Amino acid sequence: MKEVFVLGAGASAALANLPLGHELIWNYHMDCALCKPIINDVPDMTQDNNQFAGLREFLILASNVYPELKSKVREFDDRGINIFTPFVNEKKYFADEILKVMQENGNQEGILLIKKLILKHLDRKSLARRNAYENFIKKILINKEDNNVSIISFNFDYLLNDYYENGIDNVIYFDYLLDFDYIRENGCKHKNPIPLVKLHGSLDWGLCNKCNKLHLYFPHNLANNYFGEGCPPVCHVGKCDGIIEPYIFLPHQKHDERISSLRNRAEKELREARKITIIGYSFPEYDQSVIELFQRALDDNANVELEVVDYCESNESEAEKIAEIKRKYNDMFPKQKGRLTINLSGFESWLEKPRCPPLHS
Ligand SMILES: [Zn+2]
């Protein structure tokens, strides 16, 4: 039985406490600031100011787009020993929306700054949780038959990257399904890796802004922050003086043929699946092209079983949330006849659920 797991930001938030969309960059100080030393009764801000200089630049950039955000720059400058807690909840202020404005205005410096801050924020937050997905692999994926499971992910983080190269228990490996021009390790192909289709790109993929070569990095060289590094010489091509940028895409962004091929693959996997488990992904309106991709695939696969794994906030009614999800799925996939189950206990609790042993021999 072919199974597809779809991982959204909620999955990484649950397993590795990674920031969700509205928290990206905005909560960078909250998540990553260290205590400031007090010298002569005054906090020494030198290190904090250096570490978060990019965040201040981002606040200025954002307030140039939305003047009402100017108070955030002042709040940041006046933070003293306190943590900067800006709290933004309108979608237009999210980092990806500001990035969209930068792209529309052709502001290359702004684009680079935002991508760099997303990388730094996710990298710092995920450092301690490299193996956050181990439970998912050991409890769920390891029981699946070869070639019968694949993952579609919308996350930029690279928490599954460790298993790309080293695997887990010599059994589970992943494959990004891309022809990298340059791999920062002695990459070797493993037998039957699980396809890991990352439709919004990944922070461990770097694209040269000049020669357009795609590079794959591993966590230990990512920790040193490859961003902005010169393009390494690629066999037969010679040295290039381009700069490496994270190869990540936001829903509205134009993508190249590499991402198009991943999208085609994702659609094929969804068409062939007997069961699709959607974890921490809510098909937001701005992800219209993804919604359409799922609609095309599921219209042709009307009997597929769907399982939704999400989380119910304490102030939400579980019954109402289930009804709301059902309504949304019925609207999006009107031809669906397969079973739809909704589990709102969160990803971690769902992983702990008792399961039948695998059916294959
Ligand atoms: Zn290059």
Side-chain angles (χ1 to χ4, degrees):
M1 176 175 107
K2 184 148 192 154
E3 270 198 77
V4 176
F5 291 88
V6 178
L7 302 177
S12 289
L15 285 193
N17 203 19
L18 287 193
L20 292 165
H22 66 284
E23 298 161 339
L24 258 187
I25 301 186
W26 286 103
N27 286 13
Y28 178 32
H29 191 262
M30 211 185 319
D31 289 338
C32 305
L34 301 169
C35 289
K36 294 156 202 83
I38 307 287
I39 299 172
N40 298 330
D41 294 334
V42 183
D44 179 10
M45 303 297 291
T46 319
Q47 201 197 340
D48 203 70
N49 281 337
N50 285 340
Q51 187 184 343
F52 296 100
L55 175 61
R56 190 175 187 280
E57 278 177 56
F58 168 77
L59 296 174
I60 293 172
L61 209 65
S63 65
N64 287 340
V65 181
Y66 299 108
E68 66 274 22
L69 293 176
K70 282 211 162 61
S71 62
K72 302 293 176 196
V73 186
R74 275 196 302 278
E75 266 174 53
F76 180 78
D77 289 342
D78 294 342
R79 70 194 181 286
I81 55 164
N82 297 320
I83 297 293
F84 174 59
T85 50
F87 296 120
V88 289
N89 47 21
E90 275 189 69
K91 178 77 178 91
K92 65 177 183 178
Y93 301 143
F94 292 8
D96 57 330
E97 292 293 323
I98 308 276
L99 180 57
K100 186 176 170 181
V101 176
M102 296 301 118
Q103 279 155 347
E104 283 161 4
N105 297 344
N107 183 338
Q108 291 306 324
E109 278 180 28
I111 295 170
L112 284 186
L113 175 72
I114 292 173
K115 286 190 172 182
K116 189 171 184 170
L117 286 173
I118 291 175
L119 173 64
K120 281 191 167 186
H121 191 181
L122 288 179
D123 190 59
R124 295 267 157 84
K125 276 285 276 181
S126 64
L127 268 178
R129 306 296 297 268
R130 286 280 182 237
N131 295 326
Y133 276 97
E134 196 170 320
N135 240 359
F136 173 55
I137 295 168
K138 286 194 159 170
K139 287 185 191 282
I140 307 290
L141 300 183
I142 219 150
N143 291 322
K144 306 295 174 196
E145 289 172 82
D146 289 345
N147 302 323
N148 263 341
V149 61
S150 55
I151 297 176
I152 297 172
S153 168
F154 297 104
N155 295 332
F156 301 143
D157 67 66
Y158 39 88
L159 288 162
L160 288 167
N161 174 303
D162 277 349
Y163 311 106
Y164 184 95
E165 180 64 8
N166 301 315
I168 189 161
D169 298 344
N170 296 318
V171 179
I172 298 273
Y173 296 91
F174 291 101
D175 186 351
Y176 285 139
L177 306 174
L178 284 172
D179 283 327
F180 291 98
D181 298 292
Y182 187 83
I183 295 183
R184 262 300 176 89
E185 299 291 314
N186 294 321
C188 50
K189 283 278 175 197
H190 297 286
K191 226 178 107 208
N192 294 328
I194 294 176
L196 174 55
V197 193
K198 300 195 75 175
L199 294 183
H200 288 169
S202 192
L203 284 167
D204 50 346
W205 306 349
L207 187 75
C208 173
N209 66 357
K210 213 159 194 179
C211 67
N212 219 27
K213 293 272 185 276
L214 191 61
H215 304 253
L216 172 64
Y217 293 83
F218 288 89
H220 54 275
N221 34 53
L222 273 163
N224 298 331
N225 223 334
Y226 68 87
F227 187 94
E229 184 181 89
C231 181
V234 179
C235 311
H236 319 301
V237 178
K239 202 156 173 58
C240 159
D241 61 353
I243 296 290
I244 306 294
E245 293 172 18
Y247 189 63
I248 57 173
F249 292 85
L250 296 160
H252 56 270
Q253 262 186 290
K254 275 203 299 231
H255 43 77
D256 65 13
E257 76 281 0
R258 283 178 273 230
I259 294 288
S260 299
S261 78
L262 291 184
R263 293 172 74 100
N264 294 340
R265 176 63 182 255
E267 197 171 320
K268 180 174 176 286
E269 298 290 327
L270 293 168
R271 258 175 225 282
E272 292 172 359
R274 295 269 302 280
K275 182 173 182 191
I276 302 170
T277 306
I278 297 146
I279 304 162
Y281 182 69
S282 58
F283 295 97
E285 257 172 58
Y286 54 81
D287 243 349
Q288 195 52 39
S289 60
V290 168
I291 295 176
E292 286 165 14
L293 186 153
F294 272 74
Q295 284 172 330
R296 283 194 301 275
L298 268 59
D299 278 359
D300 287 346
N301 186 7
N303 292 314
V304 64
E305 180 185 345
L306 298 175
E307 180 168 12
V308 177
V309 180
D310 215 320
Y311 185 74
C312 201
E313 299 286 345
S314 53
N315 60 351
E316 288 178 309
S317 143
E318 195 165 318
E320 272 174 35
K321 188 153 181 175
I322 288 178
E324 191 189 310
I325 293 174
K326 278 193 171 154
R327 228 179 2 254
K328 183 163 187 168
Y329 274 66
N330 287 337
D331 287 349
M332 276 191 306
F333 312 120
K335 294 186 182 168
Q336 267 313 298
K337 296 195 284 282
R339 197 157 83 116
L340 169 65
T341 43
I342 298 167
N343 187 314
L344 293 182
S345 61
F347 191 12
E348 284 162 303
S349 307
W350 176 81
L351 285 174
E352 300 303 330
K353 255 181 29 175
R355 287 183 166 77
C356 304
L359 291 171
H360 61 282
S361 53

